[in-house]
Amino acid sequence: MGIKSFISSIVARSMAKKLNSSTIKEEDITELLKQIRISLLDADVNLIVVKDLIKNIRTKSVGQMIPHGIDCQQFMLTIIKQELVTILGTNNVPIKYDGSPSIIMMVGLQGSGKTTTAAKIANFAKTKLNKKPLLVALDIYRPAAIDQLRTLAKQIDVDFFDKGAQKPNITAMEALEIAKTNGNNLIILDTAGRLQTNEELMNELDDIKHITHPDEILLVVDAMSGQDMINVAQEFNKKLDLTGFVITKLDSDARAGVILSISYMLKLPIKLTGTGERIGSLDVFYPERIANRIIGFGDIITLAEKASEVVDSSTTKKSLTRMFAGNMSLEDLLIMTQQIEKLGSLGSIVKMLPNIRQIQESNIELVEEKIKIWTILMNSMTAKERKNPNLFKKYPSRRERVIKGSGRKPEEFNKLINDWKKFKEQMENIGNDLKKGKNPFANFLK
C-alpha cells in the first residue's frame, strides 16, 4: 500500500516546478492531489477516506503562504502527514492492563493471525510489564488452533488452559477460576475464527463477552484484507462493542489500505501491529510513526527501540570492530545475519528507513533468499571453519562436507565465499574511512 508507495516521491514529481508566488494556489496542487488519490485507491483505501483526506489536504494548503526559507515540497509533506495522522487516529491508545485480572478477548476471521497475536500479547505483557498471563483456547471448531496456542504458550513459558470441545462459554467461565487459583493477572481469550461472520459465531462471542466482561475486545485484521473488511469490522463492532484493532502481516506484500481505512471508518483505535510470525514482532501502534513511513520519512524511532530490545550490543560491537579492522570472518557474517533476523524481516526493516524509494520489493526478496542460503551453509560449518574460511581452500573435503550436510548447491557455496570476500573488503574500506574522519555512508541514502 502507501507504506510501499512513498508519497514524498509523488510530491517531488508533482511539484517539481517552482511556484510563481509564495502562496499555494489550487492549480499548484491539482496534479499532486490527483496522484495521491490514485495511489491511495490503488492501495485499496476506502473511497470515503480518500475523499476526506484529499478534501482536507486541499483545504489546509490552498491559500496558505509558504514561510520564507521553507521548501514548498516540504511544506506540502508536512500538511499531508498531519492529515494522515488524523486519519490513522491522532494519538496512541494503549491496551488496558490494569484489571484484576485484565481480560483481553481476541476476535477475528480465520487466517488473520489471531492465535499467534494472542501469544505475542502474552509474551509482551510477561516480558515488558511483568504480568502473569493465562492463554485460553476457545476455538473448539479447529483443533489445530488449540494445539498451536498450546505450543506457543510452552514456547514463551506462560500458563495455558483449554477444555477441548467443551462449549467455549463454559471454558471461559472456568478459566476465570483457574486464573484466580494460579494468580494470573492477565487472561487472553483466543476465540474461534470463521471464514465470514455469521449469527452463530456472533452469539457465541456475545456469550463469552457477558460471562467474562473483558477490558479489551480486539479485532485482529489481516493487512492483506480488502475493503470488505470494513463491513466485517462493523458487524463485529455492532455485536460486541470493540475496543480496538490489531493489524497483522504489515511486512507482507499487501497494499494494506485497511490500515488507512478501518480506524477512521469505525472511530476506533488501532492498538498494535504485527510484522511477522516471530513472537517478538509486535509493535505498539503510533499513528505519527506510520504516517512517517507512508510519507517516506521512515521510522527510525521504532527501529531503534527494536534494536535496543533484541540486538546483543556486546557481541555486535566486537564483530564490527573485527570487520572494520579487515578481519571479518564467516562467524562475523553469521552474527550479523542473526542480529538482523531478530529485528524482523528485511522488508519490515527497510520500511523503517528514510529515503529508500530506490529499493524494489523484488530486490528485497532476493536479498532475503540469499541470507537464508548463507545461514544454512554457515550453520553446516564448524566454528573453526567459520572463523578461518581459508580452511576450505586448503582442505577441499571440508567444502564437500558442508555442501552435502547443508543440502545446498556447490555454486551457492562458492557465491557465499565470494560475497564474504567482497564484504570483508568493503568493511575494511569503511573502517579506513572512519579512521581518517570521513563519513563512509554520506552517499548511501541519497
Side-chain angles (χ1 to χ4, degrees), residues 264-279:
Y264 186 77
M265 293 299 293
L266 276 83
K267 309 305 178 189
L268 290 169
I270 298 171
K271 298 203 170 189
L272 299 166
T273 60
T275 54
E277 289 297 317
R278 299 179 185 86
I279 288 296

Side-chain angles (χ1 to χ4, degrees), residues 138-349:
L138 300 178
D139 188 349
I140 64 173
Y141 311 101
R142 201 166 60 94
I146 296 177
D147 292 338
Q148 180 187 4
L149 193 63
R150 181 186 293 108
T151 300
L152 290 169
K154 184 177 181 180
Q155 179 182 332
I156 61 178
D157 193 24
V158 300
D159 294 330
F160 171 79
F161 180 72
D162 85 287
K163 274 301 185 74
Q166 177 175 272
K167 287 187 177 181
N169 56 349
I170 298 175
T171 301
M173 185 164 53
E174 292 179 359
L176 300 181
E177 295 302 316
I178 290 293
K180 289 180 183 178
T181 303
N182 291 347
N184 300 109
N185 50 14
L186 174 62
I187 301 173
I188 302 175
L189 308 172
D190 181 32
T191 66
R194 291 287 196 281
L195 295 177
Q196 59 186 19
T197 58
N198 58 52
E199 197 63 26
E200 180 187 0
L201 166 68
M202 290 305 180
N203 289 336
E204 178 180 287
L205 296 177
D206 194 43
D207 286 344
I208 295 171
K209 172 189 172 181
H210 283 96
I211 286 171
T212 61
H213 303 288
D215 303 279
E216 297 275 4
I217 304 178
L218 302 176
L219 178 65
V220 181
V221 177
D222 188 329
M224 293 186 285
S225 303
Q227 292 195 35
D228 285 348
M229 193 62 214
I230 301 300
N231 296 327
V232 171
Q234 288 171 337
E235 288 185 50
F236 272 99
N237 189 43
K238 183 178 179 180
K239 188 74 174 182
L240 300 172
D241 292 323
L242 301 172
T243 60
F245 306 106
V246 181
I247 309 294
T248 62
K249 305 178 187 177
L250 269 181
D251 60 333
S252 69
D253 291 337
R255 292 173 294 175
V258 70
I259 201 171
L260 270 175
S261 305
I262 201 162
S263 181
Y264 186 77
M265 293 299 293
L266 276 83
K267 309 305 178 189
L268 290 169
I270 298 171
K271 298 203 170 189
L272 299 166
T273 60
T275 54
E277 289 297 317
R278 299 179 185 86
I279 288 296
S281 58
L282 185 74
D283 298 321
V284 174
F285 183 78
Y286 291 93
E288 184 173 7
R289 296 185 189 183
I290 295 295
N292 278 335
R293 291 192 213 179
I294 296 171
I295 288 290
F297 291 169
D299 187 1
I300 295 299
I301 295 175
T302 297
L303 185 59
E305 288 176 351
K306 278 177 170 284
S308 67
E309 292 170 3
V310 302
V311 171
D312 184 338
S313 58
S314 176
T315 301
T316 303
K317 185 177 180 180
K318 290 177 182 177
S319 281
L320 284 172
T321 300
R322 289 192 296 269
M323 292 159 74
F324 290 152
N327 299 319
M328 177 183 178
S329 67
L330 287 174
E331 183 75 13
D332 295 315
L333 181 59
L334 181 60
I335 288 171
M336 288 300 141
T337 58
Q338 289 171 338
Q339 299 305 318
I340 291 172
E341 188 177 39
K342 290 179 182 178
L343 289 172
S345 70
L346 187 60
S348 65
I349 295 171

Side-chain angles (χ1 to χ4, degrees), residues 110-125:
Q110 274 187 20
S112 62
K114 181 170 48 58
T115 298
T116 303
T117 301
K120 287 181 179 182
I121 294 174
N123 183 64
F124 178 88

